[in-house]
Amino acid sequence: MRLQVENLTFSYGECEAADNVCLHVEAGEFIGLIGPNGSGKSTVLNNIYRALTPDRGTITLDGENLLKMSHKRSALKLAVVGQENDVPFNFLVEEIVAMGRSPHKRLFDIDNAYDKYIVKHALAHLGMEDMAKRNYLNLSGGEKQRVIIARAIAQESDFFILDEPTNHLDISYQMQVFDFIKRLKVTVLSAIHDLNMAALYCDRLYVLKAGRIVLRGTPEEVFTPENIYGVYGVRSSVGKHPITGKTAITFLPAEIKEDSNDR
Ligand code: ADP
Ligand code: MG
């Protein structure tokens, strides 16, 4: 077991955003955290990657109490690709990727040949080697997101925490990012907005609703029309896709009658 979260509870003032959340991630798993907007996905992930501190609960990473680990040590173990990757200053692409090396270094250490090699390699992995000298702020949304993923790769961690990493990316980049992360064979815990993407890439899912885990299981177990209606209030037809073999969901508009749904 790589990550174990037990009874994680967190409130923003009066607003309880995570309520006794329990989840675990085994080595090599790709785990999805899904649920409607505002259900607490980012709150749970922020507590795991230590941008927030739980009010109650325990989190262990590789058997160690994560909440007692130094920030540097947890940064070595967890690579984070957040939802909004605001970079306040206009760094070059290669400088941003080089920031992934910082948990490995002491303050004021300069980048050595190995750091430079890793940065170049990470950019090349994402087909971005030609963009190393570009200004980050001038890139498109998809390019920026690939830079942030390259930074996570440069960190050389084998556990990725992703918060809707492909939001606002068009479909080719969404697929590219998930395919790429899958090929890295790292352990992943990712909030995912798109249920079909979650079905395509995840081994198991946890479903949050109003701060609580209400469902858990494989995509096949979780994605039934009844469950989808219960969580999102939307009717759907669910089947196994003939090519991917994965669960595929078609959402049904209100005017389509129930009996035209063949399942
Ligand atoms: P999700 O990522 O699933 O969309 P969030 O974890 O961002 O959900 O939000 C969970 C709940 O906590 C929501 O009701 C949201 O309004 C609230 N919330 C999130 N961030 C803050 C904050 N900084 N201050 C107060 N409430 C917040
Ligand atoms: Mg969120």
Side-chain angles (χ1 to χ4, degrees):
M1 184 92 59
R2 296 223 49 199
L3 178 74
Q4 178 131 31
V5 176
E6 282 184 71
N7 301 109
L8 167 65
T9 299
F10 179 87
S11 301
Y12 300 98
E14 295 288 285
C15 168
E16 188 158 89
D19 181 1
N20 280 297
V21 168
C22 297
L23 60 84
H24 69 272
V25 182
E26 311 267 359
E29 280 191 309
F30 197 124
I31 301 296
L33 196 55
I34 61 173
N37 288 333
S39 58
K41 302 180 295 295
S42 297
T43 303
V44 168
L45 296 181
N46 276 298
N47 273 278
I48 295 170
Y49 69 73
R50 308 184 75 193
L52 298 172
T53 306
D55 299 334
R56 282 200 310 281
T58 58
I59 306 176
T60 53
L61 180 64
D62 298 329
E64 256 184 89
N65 181 348
L66 185 69
L67 304 172
K68 293 217 168 117
M69 222 181 258
S70 73
H71 278 265
K72 183 164 174 164
R73 185 161 164 71
S74 57
L76 269 174
K77 285 174 158 278
L78 296 175
V80 178
V81 178
Q83 199 164 17
E84 272 120 35
N85 294 300
D86 289 330
V87 173
F89 303 107
N90 203 7
F91 289 102
L92 297 179
V93 164
E94 64 183 6
E95 291 170 331
I96 295 198
V97 178
M99 288 172 196
R101 302 300 302 152
S102 61
H104 295 272
K105 308 174 85 72
R106 286 174 306 190
L107 198 61
F108 305 125
D109 271 2
I110 53 162
D111 290 348
N112 59 33
Y114 182 68
D115 295 322
K116 288 184 178 138
Y117 165 80
I118 291 288
V119 167
K120 206 172 156 193
H121 193 69
L123 280 169
H125 252 321
L126 288 151
M128 300 209 60
E129 57 271 65
D130 296 343
M131 297 201 183
K133 302 285 180 199
R134 292 269 301 274
N135 289 326
Y136 178 80
L137 293 181
N138 296 341
L139 302 181
S140 73
E143 290 163 347
K144 279 184 180 156
Q145 196 64 322
R146 283 191 284 162
V147 174
I148 299 302
I149 291 163
R151 183 178 68 186
I153 293 164
Q155 205 177 314
E156 295 187 295
S157 148
D158 61 357
F159 198 134
F160 277 40
I161 305 267
L162 313 168
D163 193 348
E164 301 193 17
T166 62
N167 247 17
H168 316 300
L169 298 190
D170 63 39
I171 187 67
S172 67
Y173 286 124
Q174 287 188 36
M175 304 288 294
Q176 197 181 64
V177 163
F178 279 126
D179 282 341
F180 182 77
I181 291 169
K182 194 100 190 173
R183 276 203 304 276
L184 286 176
K185 305 242 180 279
V186 292
T187 306
V188 178
L189 174 62
S190 179
I192 300 179
H193 191 71
D194 186 302
L195 304 189
N196 281 306
M197 282 289 174
L200 269 181
Y201 289 97
C202 294
D203 300 311
R204 289 189 298 117
L205 302 170
Y206 290 92
V207 186
L208 274 167
K209 189 178 179 188
R212 291 170 177 230
I213 304 274
V214 292
L215 293 164
R216 70 194 70 205
T218 62
E220 204 177 342
E221 289 162 348
V222 166
F223 291 140
T224 65
E226 296 74 25
N227 285 344
I228 292 168
Y229 191 83
V231 175
Y232 293 91
V234 173
R235 292 184 310 130
S236 60
S237 165
V238 178
K240 193 174 183 175
H241 194 276
I243 296 173
T244 64
K246 306 276 187 179
T247 303
I249 305 162
T250 305
F251 298 103
L252 302 173
E255 66 267 22
I256 303 234
K257 289 204 181 68
E258 205 65 51
D259 56 13
S260 63
N261 177 5
D262 59 3
R263 294 162 212 276

